[in-house]
Amino acid sequence: MNLHEYQAKELLRAIGVPIPPGDIATTPDEAEAIATRLGTAVMVKAQVHAGGRGKAGGVKYCPTPAVAREKAQAILGMDIKGLTVEKVLVTTAADIASEAYVGIIVDRARKAPVFMVSAAGGIDIEEVAATTPEKIMYEAVDTRYGLLPFQAMQMGFFLYKDVKLARQAAAIMTQLYDAFMEAGCSLAEINPLVVTPTNELIAVDGKMVIDDNELDRKPSIAALRDESSEAPSEVDARNANLTFIKLDGNVGCCVNGAGLAMATMDLVKYYGGEPANFLDIGGSSNPEKVVNALRIITADPNVKAILFNIFGGITRTDDVANGIVTATKQSPLKVPIVIRLTGTNEEIAVKILQENGFSASSDMDEAVQRAVALAKGGAA
Amino acid sequence: MSIFIDNSTKLLVQGITGRDGSFHAKQMLEYGTNVVAGVTPGKGGQMFEGKVPVFDTVADAVKATGANTSVIYVPPMYAADAMMEAAAAGVALIVCITEGVPVLDMTRVYPFVKEHGARLIGPNCPGLITPGASKVGIIPGRICTPGPVGVVSRSGTLTYEVVYQLTRAGIGQSTCVGIGGDPINGTNFIDCLAAFEADPQTKAVAMMGEIGGTDEQEAAEFVRTKMKKPVVGFIAGQTAPPGRRMGHAGAIISGSSGTAAEKIAAFEAAGMGVAKRPLDFVELLKARV
């Protein structure tokens, strides 16, 4: 789960990281009022879960409250990478002497949170890593001990020769690490970490991505989820305990298991079609999940054919068959459906489907080819 | 022969009285796995299915039964502790089926298990099976048959699909291992490939990877430099968009890294067979065993 910049900054501020003052506005009036209250030049920043906000025109410098009003007017409602801007952060514009990058990610190879720090901040760190890797320092943290003071100081001195700045940076990195662990992050970054003309450090932008597996034990973090910034179908799917990702094709896919779901999408493409979605109904099936899955798939007007691919292990294929029958009785399908199922209780499932006018295949390749042909308007 | 589990496997089941644990413990017993103990705190002294003694702690279970392998079916927030409890009790092979374990928990579990000299498989995995000898986890026994192909995969049902097609084509398996779909897991592809290379029964290996991370690229390098046996690979997620978690916590393309294309290129560079779809494993392996 992604946090908005303003949410990440609130968590970092609460733990002691120096963050420029600011507030959230949903109207131009509010933006102007916040700028007036701050009494400084401000930045108006779109709050959406998309990178490249600045390039898209979603981040603007505003010398006066009147300009803040005008820019907020332009940014609110703006479309950035398919997402509508509902909120802007109005925050004091910082005077910048230099910019650094400080981030933590869970590194798969090192099996630990790893700090990445670089004096070349303010830009895309992936680009720095690709072009000038010597400008990045990596430091892995053993979470059983936490970030050790000497590690934080090593990174502080890597960024700044000045001991006062190095110490300040070390303190901020310790706070960032604490926030990272506290919130259950998979990524947290401050970019840029700015040195002001008066030699103080401030975090001008903050980003946090939460490990979804943490949300059950961190209700205060889970409450930060902003459903208005997500595709409605994905919100619907999550509430129904399904994993769903919308894509641009026209073959609606319903599969059990993430690996098989990806392989099914790939096979649709292999046979010349385009998948409309990734959808994993998970391991332990019940008919209700299938009903929800069909509702979500058919809500996409692009879908021209539906493909079920179920390999019954824990999942009972008769549960899936019952779900298909129930769902299509509630709301009859307007597009053709191809059902492939094999494994646990396959004979019962096939009988249920046949009694209700559906046919079923036990062969994955055959089913995918038929679904692709149907989506293109061909015969079954 | 086989890898990791065989007729000498003495299995204990952590979470044996839970919904999933009890269901799969029965399935493993039916398959013929030597299930010697169960653990559920507070239920020590009970008998599961009239034949498997239940203990309060893993240490008690190991002491009383000599269990050398543990399989874990406990809720995600308790899984880290369960894995460390098994390692501390001296269990040599720990298989964690549980899905949804926070990755920061795994940053503590991994070094702990390693320091105790145990092997961890998973979490978020279907476990493993040596057809005809022992099943630890949830892979359906009836789709497998003994034979020369070692199978290793990050997925569950995709593994079943491939194994099912192999079995239908008359190609049996030495051991099938699901290493799990999480970003940090106990056993990676290279660990399994090295074990298959050393196993006399295994003549060829089927490897199913997916998008995210660099485990497959490192495995390809291992195949190229360290293996004599042929390996056929497949990558799921060729149509996955970047930046989205495709069901498995580890199946995500970060920036431009971890794509299917780069993994397939690594397989090709290592001289491996590349299955473009699951069905291709049949012909590619037939030609290699």
Side-chain angles (χ1 to χ4, degrees), chain B residues 34-83:
Chain B
N34 188 14
V35 181
V36 298
V39 170
T40 298
K43 302 213 169 152
Q46 293 184 7
M47 286 299 261
F48 176 78
E49 292 286 293
K51 53 189 155 190
V52 179
V54 178
F55 299 86
D56 287 322
T57 68
V58 176
D60 288 349
V62 169
K63 202 170 160 199
T65 66
N68 55 19
T69 301
S70 173
V71 62
I72 295 172
Y73 300 92
V74 306
M77 298 310 156
Y78 305 98
D81 194 51
M83 289 181 256

Short mmCIF file of all heavy atoms in Angstrom, two decimals, chain B residues 34-83:
data_model
loop_
_atom_site.label_atom_id
_atom_site.label_comp_id
_atom_site.label_asym_id
_atom_site.label_seq_id
_atom_site.Cartn_x
_atom_site.Cartn_y
_atom_site.Cartn_z
N ASN B 34 5.34 -40.09 7.13
CA ASN B 34 5.51 -40.50 8.52
C ASN B 34 5.30 -39.29 9.43
O ASN B 34 6.25 -38.61 9.79
CB ASN B 34 6.90 -41.11 8.69
CG ASN B 34 7.08 -41.74 10.08
OD1 ASN B 34 6.11 -41.95 10.80
ND2 ASN B 34 8.33 -42.01 10.44
N VAL B 35 4.03 -39.02 9.76
CA VAL B 35 3.69 -37.88 10.64
C VAL B 35 3.81 -38.37 12.08
O VAL B 35 3.03 -39.22 12.51
CB VAL B 35 2.27 -37.35 10.37
CG1 VAL B 35 1.97 -36.16 11.27
CG2 VAL B 35 2.11 -36.96 8.90
N VAL B 36 4.83 -37.86 12.81
CA VAL B 36 5.09 -38.41 14.16
C VAL B 36 4.54 -37.54 15.28
O VAL B 36 4.39 -38.00 16.40
CB VAL B 36 6.61 -38.64 14.39
CG1 VAL B 36 7.15 -39.67 13.40
CG2 VAL B 36 7.40 -37.33 14.29
N ALA B 37 4.25 -36.27 14.98
CA ALA B 37 3.80 -35.40 16.08
C ALA B 37 3.07 -34.18 15.53
O ALA B 37 3.23 -33.80 14.37
CB ALA B 37 5.01 -34.93 16.90
N GLY B 38 2.28 -33.58 16.43
CA GLY B 38 1.67 -32.29 16.12
C GLY B 38 1.96 -31.35 17.27
O GLY B 38 2.27 -31.79 18.38
N VAL B 39 1.90 -30.04 16.99
CA VAL B 39 2.09 -29.06 18.05
C VAL B 39 0.97 -28.03 18.00
O VAL B 39 0.71 -27.45 16.94
CB VAL B 39 3.46 -28.34 17.92
CG1 VAL B 39 3.56 -27.16 18.89
CG2 VAL B 39 4.61 -29.32 18.16
N THR B 40 0.28 -27.86 19.11
CA THR B 40 -0.63 -26.74 19.30
C THR B 40 -0.54 -26.38 20.78
O THR B 40 -0.83 -27.23 21.63
CB THR B 40 -2.09 -27.11 18.96
OG1 THR B 40 -2.17 -27.49 17.59
CG2 THR B 40 -3.02 -25.92 19.19
N PRO B 41 -0.08 -25.15 21.09
CA PRO B 41 0.05 -24.77 22.50
C PRO B 41 -1.29 -24.92 23.23
O PRO B 41 -2.32 -24.46 22.73
CB PRO B 41 0.48 -23.30 22.44
CG PRO B 41 1.08 -23.12 21.08
CD PRO B 41 0.34 -24.07 20.18
N GLY B 42 -1.27 -25.62 24.37
CA GLY B 42 -2.49 -25.80 25.15
C GLY B 42 -3.24 -27.07 24.80
O GLY B 42 -4.22 -27.42 25.47
N LYS B 43 -2.82 -27.77 23.77
CA LYS B 43 -3.50 -29.02 23.41
C LYS B 43 -2.59 -30.23 23.56
O LYS B 43 -2.89 -31.30 23.03
CB LYS B 43 -4.05 -28.92 21.98
CG LYS B 43 -5.01 -27.75 21.82
CD LYS B 43 -6.12 -28.01 20.83
CE LYS B 43 -7.17 -26.89 20.95
NZ LYS B 43 -7.89 -26.65 19.70
N GLY B 44 -1.47 -30.05 24.27
CA GLY B 44 -0.56 -31.16 24.53
C GLY B 44 -1.31 -32.29 25.23
O GLY B 44 -2.17 -32.05 26.08
N GLY B 45 -0.99 -33.55 24.84
CA GLY B 45 -1.63 -34.69 25.46
C GLY B 45 -2.76 -35.27 24.63
O GLY B 45 -3.14 -36.42 24.79
N GLN B 46 -3.31 -34.48 23.71
CA GLN B 46 -4.36 -35.01 22.82
C GLN B 46 -3.75 -35.94 21.77
O GLN B 46 -2.54 -35.92 21.52
CB GLN B 46 -5.07 -33.86 22.10
CG GLN B 46 -5.87 -32.96 23.01
CD GLN B 46 -6.64 -31.88 22.22
OE1 GLN B 46 -6.67 -31.89 21.00
NE2 GLN B 46 -7.25 -30.97 22.95
N MET B 47 -4.60 -36.74 21.14
CA MET B 47 -4.17 -37.56 20.00
C MET B 47 -4.92 -37.07 18.77
O MET B 47 -6.14 -36.94 18.79
CB MET B 47 -4.50 -39.04 20.24
CG MET B 47 -3.59 -39.73 21.24
SD MET B 47 -1.86 -39.73 20.74
CE MET B 47 -1.74 -41.37 20.08
N PHE B 48 -4.17 -36.82 17.68
CA PHE B 48 -4.79 -36.39 16.44
C PHE B 48 -5.14 -37.62 15.61
O PHE B 48 -4.27 -38.47 15.38
CB PHE B 48 -3.83 -35.47 15.67
CG PHE B 48 -4.33 -35.04 14.32
CD1 PHE B 48 -5.27 -34.02 14.20
CD2 PHE B 48 -3.86 -35.66 13.16
CE1 PHE B 48 -5.73 -33.63 12.95
CE2 PHE B 48 -4.31 -35.25 11.91
CZ PHE B 48 -5.25 -34.24 11.81
N GLU B 49 -6.41 -37.76 15.19
CA GLU B 49 -6.85 -38.91 14.38
C GLU B 49 -6.53 -40.23 15.08
O GLU B 49 -6.32 -41.24 14.41
CB GLU B 49 -6.17 -38.89 13.00
CG GLU B 49 -6.63 -37.75 12.11
CD GLU B 49 -8.03 -37.96 11.54
OE1 GLU B 49 -8.21 -38.86 10.73
OE2 GLU B 49 -8.93 -37.20 11.97
N GLY B 50 -6.44 -40.17 16.41
CA GLY B 50 -6.21 -41.40 17.16
C GLY B 50 -4.81 -41.97 17.05
O GLY B 50 -4.51 -43.01 17.63
N LYS B 51 -3.90 -41.30 16.33
CA LYS B 51 -2.57 -41.90 16.19
C LYS B 51 -1.39 -40.93 16.27
O LYS B 51 -0.26 -41.37 16.41
CB LYS B 51 -2.48 -42.71 14.89
CG LYS B 51 -2.88 -41.94 13.65
CD LYS B 51 -2.97 -42.90 12.45
CE LYS B 51 -3.91 -42.33 11.41
NZ LYS B 51 -4.24 -43.25 10.34
N VAL B 52 -1.65 -39.62 16.16
CA VAL B 52 -0.52 -38.68 16.20
C VAL B 52 -0.57 -37.88 17.50
O VAL B 52 -1.53 -37.14 17.74
CB VAL B 52 -0.56 -37.72 14.99
CG1 VAL B 52 0.59 -36.73 15.06
CG2 VAL B 52 -0.54 -38.49 13.68
N PRO B 53 0.44 -38.02 18.36
CA PRO B 53 0.42 -37.28 19.62
C PRO B 53 0.63 -35.78 19.41
O PRO B 53 1.43 -35.38 18.58
CB PRO B 53 1.60 -37.88 20.41
CG PRO B 53 2.51 -38.46 19.37
CD PRO B 53 1.63 -38.88 18.22
N VAL B 54 -0.12 -34.99 20.17
CA VAL B 54 -0.02 -33.53 20.09
C VAL B 54 0.73 -33.01 21.31
O VAL B 54 0.51 -33.48 22.43
CB VAL B 54 -1.43 -32.88 20.01
CG1 VAL B 54 -1.32 -31.36 19.96
CG2 VAL B 54 -2.19 -33.42 18.80
N PHE B 55 1.65 -32.05 21.08
CA PHE B 55 2.46 -31.48 22.16
C PHE B 55 2.22 -29.97 22.26
O PHE B 55 1.75 -29.35 21.30
CB PHE B 55 3.94 -31.76 21.90
CG PHE B 55 4.28 -33.22 21.85
CD1 PHE B 55 4.14 -33.95 20.66
CD2 PHE B 55 4.70 -33.90 22.99
CE1 PHE B 55 4.43 -35.30 20.61
CE2 PHE B 55 5.00 -35.26 22.95
CZ PHE B 55 4.86 -35.96 21.75
N ASP B 56 2.61 -29.41 23.42
CA ASP B 56 2.44 -27.96 23.62
C ASP B 56 3.53 -27.17 22.91
O ASP B 56 3.30 -26.03 22.52
CB ASP B 56 2.49 -27.63 25.12
CG ASP B 56 1.23 -28.06 25.84
OD1 ASP B 56 0.14 -27.93 25.24
OD2 ASP B 56 1.33 -28.54 26.98
N THR B 57 4.73 -27.75 22.85
CA THR B 57 5.86 -27.02 22.26
C THR B 57 6.60 -27.93 21.26
O THR B 57 6.52 -29.16 21.35
CB THR B 57 6.88 -26.58 23.34
OG1 THR B 57 7.52 -27.75 23.86
CG2 THR B 57 6.21 -25.80 24.47
N VAL B 58 7.32 -27.29 20.36
CA VAL B 58 8.12 -28.05 19.40
C VAL B 58 9.22 -28.82 20.13
O VAL B 58 9.51 -29.98 19.81
CB VAL B 58 8.71 -27.13 18.32
CG1 VAL B 58 9.61 -27.90 17.36
CG2 VAL B 58 7.59 -26.44 17.52
N ALA B 59 9.83 -28.18 21.14
CA ALA B 59 10.90 -28.85 21.90
C ALA B 59 10.40 -30.16 22.50
O ALA B 59 11.08 -31.19 22.41
CB ALA B 59 11.44 -27.91 22.99
N ASP B 60 9.21 -30.14 23.09
CA ASP B 60 8.63 -31.38 23.66
C ASP B 60 8.44 -32.44 22.57
O ASP B 60 8.75 -33.62 22.76
CB ASP B 60 7.25 -31.10 24.27
CG ASP B 60 7.34 -30.30 25.56
OD1 ASP B 60 8.46 -30.15 26.09
OD2 ASP B 60 6.28 -29.81 26.02
N ALA B 61 7.93 -31.99 21.42
CA ALA B 61 7.62 -32.93 20.33
C ALA B 61 8.90 -33.57 19.81
O ALA B 61 8.94 -34.79 19.56
CB ALA B 61 6.89 -32.21 19.21
N VAL B 62 9.93 -32.78 19.64
CA VAL B 62 11.20 -33.30 19.11
C VAL B 62 11.81 -34.29 20.11
O VAL B 62 12.29 -35.37 19.74
CB VAL B 62 12.18 -32.14 18.80
CG1 VAL B 62 13.58 -32.67 18.50
CG2 VAL B 62 11.65 -31.33 17.61
N LYS B 63 11.76 -33.91 21.38
CA LYS B 63 12.35 -34.76 22.42
C LYS B 63 11.65 -36.12 22.46
O LYS B 63 12.28 -37.17 22.54
CB LYS B 63 12.19 -34.05 23.77
CG LYS B 63 13.16 -34.52 24.83
CD LYS B 63 13.09 -33.60 26.03
CE LYS B 63 13.67 -34.30 27.26
NZ LYS B 63 13.24 -33.64 28.49
N ALA B 64 10.33 -36.10 22.34
CA ALA B 64 9.57 -37.35 22.48
C ALA B 64 9.57 -38.20 21.22
O ALA B 64 9.45 -39.42 21.29
CB ALA B 64 8.12 -37.02 22.88
N THR B 65 9.69 -37.59 20.05
CA THR B 65 9.47 -38.36 18.82
C THR B 65 10.66 -38.38 17.87
O THR B 65 10.65 -39.14 16.90
CB THR B 65 8.28 -37.77 18.02
OG1 THR B 65 8.63 -36.45 17.56
CG2 THR B 65 7.02 -37.69 18.86
N GLY B 66 11.65 -37.52 18.09
CA GLY B 66 12.78 -37.47 17.16
C GLY B 66 12.42 -36.87 15.81
O GLY B 66 13.09 -37.15 14.81
N ALA B 67 11.38 -36.05 15.76
CA ALA B 67 10.98 -35.42 14.49
C ALA B 67 12.16 -34.64 13.91
O ALA B 67 12.87 -33.94 14.63
CB ALA B 67 9.80 -34.46 14.73
N ASN B 68 12.38 -34.80 12.58
CA ASN B 68 13.49 -34.08 11.94
C ASN B 68 13.02 -33.05 10.91
O ASN B 68 13.81 -32.35 10.31
CB ASN B 68 14.46 -35.08 11.28
CG ASN B 68 13.75 -36.01 10.29
OD1 ASN B 68 12.65 -35.73 9.83
ND2 ASN B 68 14.40 -37.13 9.98
N THR B 69 11.71 -32.99 10.71
CA THR B 69 11.13 -32.05 9.73
C THR B 69 9.86 -31.47 10.33
O THR B 69 9.12 -32.18 11.02
CB THR B 69 10.79 -32.81 8.42
OG1 THR B 69 11.99 -33.40 7.92
CG2 THR B 69 10.20 -31.89 7.37
N SER B 70 9.63 -30.19 10.07
CA SER B 70 8.40 -29.57 10.56
C SER B 70 7.69 -28.85 9.42
O SER B 70 8.33 -28.27 8.55
CB SER B 70 8.72 -28.56 11.66
OG SER B 70 7.54 -27.85 12.00
N VAL B 71 6.37 -28.93 9.43
CA VAL B 71 5.58 -28.16 8.47
C VAL B 71 4.65 -27.24 9.26
O VAL B 71 4.07 -27.65 10.27
CB VAL B 71 4.82 -29.07 7.49
CG1 VAL B 71 3.81 -29.96 8.20
CG2 VAL B 71 4.14 -28.27 6.39
N ILE B 72 4.58 -25.98 8.81
CA ILE B 72 3.91 -24.94 9.62
C ILE B 72 2.63 -24.45 8.94
O ILE B 72 2.66 -23.99 7.79
CB ILE B 72 4.88 -23.76 9.85
CG1 ILE B 72 6.05 -24.25 10.71
CG2 ILE B 72 4.16 -22.58 10.49
CD1 ILE B 72 7.19 -23.25 10.85
N TYR B 73 1.50 -24.58 9.66
CA TYR B 73 0.21 -24.05 9.20
C TYR B 73 -0.34 -23.17 10.32
O TYR B 73 -1.29 -23.56 11.00
CB TYR B 73 -0.80 -25.17 8.97
CG TYR B 73 -0.43 -26.21 7.95
CD1 TYR B 73 0.23 -27.37 8.33
CD2 TYR B 73 -0.79 -26.05 6.61
CE1 TYR B 73 0.55 -28.35 7.40
CE2 TYR B 73 -0.48 -27.03 5.69
CZ TYR B 73 0.19 -28.17 6.08
OH TYR B 73 0.50 -29.14 5.16
N VAL B 74 0.29 -22.06 10.61
CA VAL B 74 -0.23 -21.19 11.66
C VAL B 74 -0.52 -19.83 11.01
O VAL B 74 0.02 -19.52 9.95
CB VAL B 74 0.75 -21.04 12.85
CG1 VAL B 74 1.16 -22.40 13.40
CG2 VAL B 74 1.99 -20.25 12.46
N PRO B 75 -1.37 -19.00 11.65
CA PRO B 75 -1.70 -17.71 11.03
C PRO B 75 -0.45 -16.84 10.83
O PRO B 75 0.54 -17.01 11.54
CB PRO B 75 -2.66 -17.08 12.04
CG PRO B 75 -3.21 -18.22 12.82
CD PRO B 75 -2.10 -19.24 12.89
N PRO B 76 -0.50 -15.92 9.85
CA PRO B 76 0.70 -15.18 9.45
C PRO B 76 1.41 -14.44 10.58
O PRO B 76 2.63 -14.38 10.60
CB PRO B 76 0.17 -14.18 8.41
CG PRO B 76 -1.24 -14.50 8.15
CD PRO B 76 -1.66 -15.65 8.99
N MET B 77 0.66 -13.90 11.54
CA MET B 77 1.31 -13.12 12.58
C MET B 77 2.07 -14.00 13.59
O MET B 77 2.84 -13.50 14.39
CB MET B 77 0.29 -12.23 13.32
CG MET B 77 -0.36 -11.20 12.40
SD MET B 77 0.84 -10.26 11.41
CE MET B 77 -0.18 -9.75 10.03
N TYR B 78 1.81 -15.31 13.56
CA TYR B 78 2.51 -16.22 14.48
C TYR B 78 3.56 -17.06 13.75
O TYR B 78 4.27 -17.85 14.37
CB TYR B 78 1.50 -17.16 15.17
CG TYR B 78 0.41 -16.40 15.88
CD1 TYR B 78 -0.83 -16.21 15.30
CD2 TYR B 78 0.65 -15.85 17.14
CE1 TYR B 78 -1.82 -15.49 15.94
CE2 TYR B 78 -0.33 -15.13 17.80
CZ TYR B 78 -1.57 -14.95 17.19
OH TYR B 78 -2.54 -14.23 17.83
N ALA B 79 3.64 -16.91 12.44
CA ALA B 79 4.48 -17.81 11.65
C ALA B 79 5.97 -17.60 11.94
O ALA B 79 6.73 -18.57 12.02
CB ALA B 79 4.20 -17.63 10.17
N ALA B 80 6.39 -16.35 12.11
CA ALA B 80 7.81 -16.08 12.36
C ALA B 80 8.25 -16.80 13.63
O ALA B 80 9.29 -17.48 13.65
CB ALA B 80 8.05 -14.57 12.49
N ASP B 81 7.45 -16.69 14.67
CA ASP B 81 7.81 -17.35 15.92
C ASP B 81 7.84 -18.87 15.75
O ASP B 81 8.72 -19.55 16.29
CB ASP B 81 6.81 -16.94 17.01
CG ASP B 81 7.30 -17.32 18.39
OD1 ASP B 81 8.45 -16.97 18.72
OD2 ASP B 81 6.55 -17.99 19.13
N ALA B 82 6.88 -19.39 14.99
CA ALA B 82 6.83 -20.84 14.78
C ALA B 82 8.09 -21.35 14.07
O ALA B 82 8.64 -22.39 14.43
CB ALA B 82 5.58 -21.20 13.97
N MET B 83 8.54 -20.59 13.07
CA MET B 83 9.75 -21.00 12.34
C MET B 83 10.96 -20.99 13.27
O MET B 83 11.77 -21.91 13.27
CB MET B 83 10.00 -20.06 11.15
CG MET B 83 9.00 -20.22 10.02
SD MET B 83 9.36 -19.10 8.62
CE MET B 83 8.12 -17.84 8.85
#
